Amino acid sequence: MKLNAKIPEGKLEEKWRNYQLKSKLINPANKKKLNVIVVGSGLSGAGAAATLAELGYNVQCFCYQDSARRAHSVAAQGGINAAKNYQHDGDSVWRMFHDTLKGGDFRSREANTYRLAELSAPLIDHFTQQGVPFAREYGGVLANRSFGGVQVQRTFYARGQTGQQLLLAAYSQLYKMIRAKKVTMFPRTEMLDLVVIDGRAKGIIIRDLVSGEIKRYVADAVVLATGGYSRVFRLSTLAIGCNGSAIWKAHKKGAFFAAPSFTQIHPTALPQSSETQSKLTLMSESLRNDGRIWVPKKKEDTRKANDIPEEERDYYLERRYPSFGNLAPRDIASRAAKERIDNGHGVGRFRNAVYLDFKHAIERLGLETIKDRYGNLFKMYKKITGVDAYKEPMQISPAAHFSMGGLWVDYELMTTIPGLYAIGECNFSDHGANRLGANSLLQASLDGYFILPNTINNYLASEENRAPVDTNHPAFVDAEKKIKGDIEHILSINGNQTVDHFHRELGKVMWQNCAMSRNQAGLESAIEQIKKIKKAFWQEVKITGHSQELNTELEKALRLADFIELALLMCTDALQRDESCGAHFREEYQTKDGEAWRRDKEYTYVSAWEYTKDYFKLHKEELDFEFVKPTVRSYK
């Protein structure tokens, strides 16, 4: 299959407008005859479901949470980017586009990235009109702060609760459509398979997580908005329920998976404190605006942080990257922390953390200003650790976070399966090899509110006169039969190891060999180890309970089976990319001073993988940089 990104012609700043001018339209009366399934109800899913319903389509929205308000979008605390230039500090759509393209190490499409920047300003107006309580300056103008990878202030925020406030706004719009009976909501359900008929996405198979019942749902188009897959590392900043099963099932039905090894390590999480803990806590990157990151210059220093004088502190980001300092991009900040920790300068109980210090910010700005900007984050830190970060530094550590990879989509956000769309974090489209901070909420919101509702018409217009399909079609029958067989098989194993045991084993292999740094030997070893884990899992896993009931162990097992296969693809993708770029740092490809060494002549492409029964087949979408010339990515 030749990948067609469907990028519009014309100048960069005219592409989105040209696309909209040439898009097909659907009569409002005909929209009422068309059905759309949206899987996921976070910022992408809720925004898409509400907007599509407002346009007149019949929408069914599914989520595994008990309420759409519990989607993981609430965890993006720090802010949302937009090129409004309120500070008059030189920001513009072009500068934001360039920052995002450069931040992703020139491994994303120009057209998609520019559209992200172009639509950012109207999105802030959209949220303000919905009542999002963005922070404001004394004169009433919306306030801004900086995030990693930029030298301007373009991040809008609602204290340290931005994701929560945006999700509440999206949920209010979704609930309005539910009350109007234009959206039918299905909480506590999980998609277990995609149904493809005549090469087109036509529905899904779900499991009711309360009763265990397997059900079929049909539609004219399916939209996946199911988030990222970094729980493949087990310990991550993601909620425990976050998983990649929906996109993996779609991948096995023919949707190409793009850049799976591009997974982001966030530099400001709380360090692991126990072998048995189930997740890591994210501390917002916004803290790097005013906090300074350092480690003791002396190795294995056992003194308390406040007892270490200034001259014996290494503010290593300010030393190595003076132009950006503590606001270096996430991949660079995480690797720099790893380098200090590996060299014996780590702090904390397990020597696996660095300090994030607000002493100087409090002296400069005053305690009340810091409380106003980050108060809830400091409260959260104290509740978890018992430490008052106003009086002594926080301890932070890198942790698995955002997935830049995901299902391959074209400019319209459609996958390689006609009628199947992927929006938000579950697609690969905008961030390249590294996502800049505060672009997550931006992409999720834009995909759901502004982009998908304008692109899905082109496909649905062709479905208006197509013969309808119902859930008695053989494709639905076969898909349900296979799912029930898989569930019966996994329950029948009755081994002697828990699901968590195998997830821990998988997480260790992935963190050691396919996280902040990779090398050929480690990746080859990881592939063999994962194959052994897969074999052992299907022979030794023990799942208590039955299928026709609430069974969280069964849920975890089905998701882990997908994670194991996804882990193989991630390592395969990382192994074939013999270069370092963004979050993909191959130890064999680095400069003399330890920075990433891109090989643009060989690897300026998006890797798009096709699933086959025996192996993963690589396809390449070549990236054509027509408007920006890739340069050495330096933040010094």
Side-chain angles (χ1 to χ4, degrees):
M1 177 186 291
K2 184 177 180 180
L3 295 170
N4 179 11
K6 301 179 185 173
I7 299 172
E9 296 181 354
K11 298 178 180 178
L12 194 59
E13 60 272 18
E14 296 175 356
K15 288 183 181 295
W16 179 236
R17 184 178 63 184
N18 289 342
Y19 174 86
Q20 291 176 293
L21 290 173
K22 296 178 181 179
S23 291
K24 297 176 183 178
L25 298 177
I26 300 176
N27 186 306
N30 290 337
K31 288 179 181 177
K32 298 175 183 178
K33 304 174 186 177
L34 295 166
N35 302 299
V36 180
I37 283 174
V38 178
V39 184
S41 61
L43 267 180
S44 279
T51 307
L52 291 172
E54 193 82 61
L55 290 173
Y57 297 111
N58 300 303
V59 179
Q60 299 173 95
C61 186
F62 299 80
C63 71
Y64 64 76
Q65 298 93 347
D66 55 0
S67 168
R69 289 175 296 179
R70 294 176 64 87
H72 192 60
S73 299
V74 301
Q77 306 151 322
I80 177 171
N81 285 337
K84 276 186 169 291
N85 196 29
Y86 279 163
Q87 314 303 316
H88 301 289
D89 54 2
D91 200 11
S92 64
V93 169
W94 181 268
R95 189 177 295 275
M96 182 174 172
F97 155 68
H98 187 270
D99 285 345
T100 303
L101 201 66
K102 175 184 175 183
D105 227 348
F106 302 98
R107 291 295 177 262
S108 58
R109 293 189 199 122
E110 285 184 326
N112 287 65
T113 305
Y114 189 87
R115 181 173 62 183
L116 182 82
E118 178 184 10
L119 296 179
S120 64
L123 180 67
I124 296 300
D125 297 335
H126 176 76
F127 275 130
T128 303
Q129 291 163 357
Q130 287 185 350
V132 173
F134 287 118
R136 294 179 181 267
E137 302 289 358
Y138 179 77
V141 177
L142 298 185
N144 290 127
R145 56 191 178 199
S146 297
F147 258 57
V150 303
Q151 292 177 308
V152 297
Q153 297 182 72
R154 67 164 66 105
T155 304
F156 295 77
Y157 61 97
R159 207 173 189 183
Q161 305 172 344
T162 314
Q164 179 179 353
Q165 296 300 327
L166 297 186
L167 185 61
L168 286 173
Y171 175 78
S172 69
Q173 300 302 306
L174 174 62
Y175 193 74
K176 183 178 76 172
M177 291 296 102
I178 294 171
R179 288 289 300 271
K181 300 188 184 305
K182 295 182 179 180
V183 173
T184 305
M185 192 73 206
F186 297 91
R188 302 297 289 137
T189 60
E190 184 159 22
M191 172 183 159
L192 295 186
D193 206 359
L194 175 74
V195 178
V196 178
I197 299 175
D198 296 330
R200 294 172 176 250
K202 283 297 178 182
I204 62 174
I205 308 294
I206 65 96
R207 179 173 181 267
D208 185 311
L209 296 180
V210 177
S211 68
E213 185 179 359
I214 306 298
K215 300 178 182 179
R216 315 169 189 174
Y217 290 91
V218 67
D220 298 294
V222 177
V223 179
L224 300 184
T226 52
Y229 52 84
S230 283
R231 276 282 292 169
V232 71
F233 295 97
R234 186 172 180 270
L235 287 179
S236 78
T237 64
L238 274 63
I240 293 174
C242 292
N243 63 85
S245 286
I247 58 174
W248 191 251
K249 299 302 186 186
H251 175 54
K252 295 177 80 169
K253 283 296 180 73
F256 287 10
F257 207 118
S261 66
F262 287 171
T263 51
Q264 184 171 76
I265 309 301
H266 198 293
T268 57
L270 298 190
Q272 181 181 358
S273 58
S274 168
E275 179 71 17
T276 58
Q277 72 186 85
S278 56
K279 75 176 298 295
L280 299 172
T281 301
L282 174 67
M283 299 304 294
S284 170
E285 183 179 324
S286 61
L287 294 169
R288 292 202 282 153
N289 259 277
D290 293 307
R292 300 180 71 192
I293 296 173
W294 63 276
V295 293
K297 290 182 178 179
K298 178 183 175 182
K299 291 186 177 183
E300 307 297 337
D301 197 325
T302 59
R303 290 175 293 176
K304 292 183 178 180
N306 289 341
D307 294 336
I308 301 176
E310 282 292 320
E311 62 272 15
E312 295 182 37
R313 300 181 178 191
D314 179 13
Y315 294 92
Y316 58 90
L317 287 177
E318 298 172 30
R319 170 174 55 83
R320 291 183 60 176
Y321 307 102
S323 293
F324 284 75
N326 296 295
L327 288 174
R330 291 175 175 179
D331 58 321
I332 290 174
S334 293
R335 283 199 302 273
K338 181 179 186 293
E339 186 273 333
R340 290 289 80 194
I341 292 169
D342 290 348
N343 278 280
H345 297 276
V347 301
R349 179 183 174 191
F350 294 115
R351 299 287 164 189
N352 60 346
V354 298
Y355 288 127
L356 178 60
D357 198 340
F358 280 82
K359 181 181 72 172
H360 298 100
I362 292 172
E363 292 173 353
R364 185 178 75 255
L365 301 170
L367 182 61
E368 291 306 313
T369 298
I370 299 302
K371 284 184 176 180
D372 184 59
R373 291 179 179 178
Y374 314 107
N376 65 308
L377 298 173
F378 278 67
K379 287 179 182 178
M380 181 174 73
Y381 185 84
K382 186 173 183 179
K383 184 176 182 179
I384 295 171
T385 67
V387 174
D388 185 348
Y390 294 113
K391 297 179 180 178
E392 58 182 285
M394 294 180 180
Q395 291 182 12
I396 58 170
S397 182
H401 182 54
F402 187 91
S403 309
M404 281 78 66
L407 293 185
W408 184 92
V409 292
D410 58 25
Y411 191 74
E412 296 181 317
L413 304 185
M414 188 160 71
T415 69
T416 50
I417 299 176
L420 177 67
Y421 292 80
I423 61 176
E425 191 179 351
C426 72
N427 72 33
F428 88 100
S429 68
D430 294 343
H431 308 297
N434 173 63
R435 177 177 65 78
L436 291 186
N439 271 350
S440 172
L441 293 176
L442 176 63
Q443 185 216 346
S445 301
L446 287 177
D447 282 2
Y449 278 121
F450 287 4
I451 300 174
L452 178 77
N454 279 287
T455 62
I456 198 170
N457 298 334
N458 268 347
Y459 174 78
L460 290 176
S462 66
E463 293 296 291
E464 287 185 85
N465 300 316
R466 194 175 293 274
V469 173
D470 62 36
T471 55
N472 293 317
H473 191 282
F476 278 94
V477 176
D478 292 344
E480 181 179 333
K481 183 179 179 181
K482 182 181 183 307
I483 287 171
K484 288 181 175 178
D486 291 343
I487 291 175
E488 289 176 6
H489 173 53
I490 203 168
L491 285 170
S492 69
I493 295 171
N494 198 29
N496 55 12
Q497 295 289 355
T498 65
V499 178
D500 286 338
H501 164 78
F502 290 107
H503 204 166
R504 275 194 291 269
E505 293 300 306
L506 178 67
K508 289 176 183 177
V509 172
M510 292 300 290
W511 183 252
Q512 291 168 1
N513 300 291
C514 198
M516 273 185 286
S517 60
R518 301 98 184 258
N519 58 59
Q520 181 176 343
L523 290 167
E524 290 173 346
S525 173
I527 290 172
E528 295 306 311
Q529 291 180 71
I530 295 168
K531 289 178 179 178
K532 292 178 181 177
I533 292 171
K534 181 179 180 179
K535 182 178 180 181
F537 173 81
W538 286 104
Q539 293 177 347
E540 301 172 19
V541 72
K542 181 178 180 65
I543 302 167
T544 56
H546 306 283
S547 62
Q548 296 299 307
E549 64 179 357
L550 175 65
N551 191 333
T552 55
E553 284 300 301
L554 176 59
E555 292 172 37
K556 290 192 296 183
L558 294 174
R559 294 166 187 167
L560 181 58
D562 296 328
F563 275 142
I564 292 171
E565 294 183 347
L566 173 56
L568 285 171
L569 179 57
M570 291 171 65
C571 292
T572 301
D573 183 57
L575 186 60
Q576 67 83 32
R577 189 171 282 274
D578 290 332
E579 67 163 352
S580 290
C581 61
H584 170 67
F585 190 80
R586 282 285 295 270
E587 294 171 1
E588 306 97 319
Y589 301 95
Q590 56 182 301
T591 62
K592 293 180 180 179
D593 54 354
E595 302 299 330
W597 172 27
R598 285 200 325 264
R599 301 176 64 196
D600 290 342
K601 288 184 179 180
E602 296 88 353
Y603 291 98
T604 305
Y605 63 77
V606 175
S607 56
W609 296 88
E610 178 184 2
Y611 181 87
T612 70
K613 187 176 181 180
D614 300 315
Y615 68 100
F616 301 112
K617 182 178 180 180
L618 176 63
H619 300 259
K620 299 177 182 180
E621 180 198 341
E622 300 293 339
L623 294 171
D624 180 19
F625 292 101
E626 182 181 357
F627 301 96
V628 173
K629 182 179 179 181
T631 57
V632 174
R633 184 172 171 244
S634 174
Y635 292 92
K636 295 188 175 183

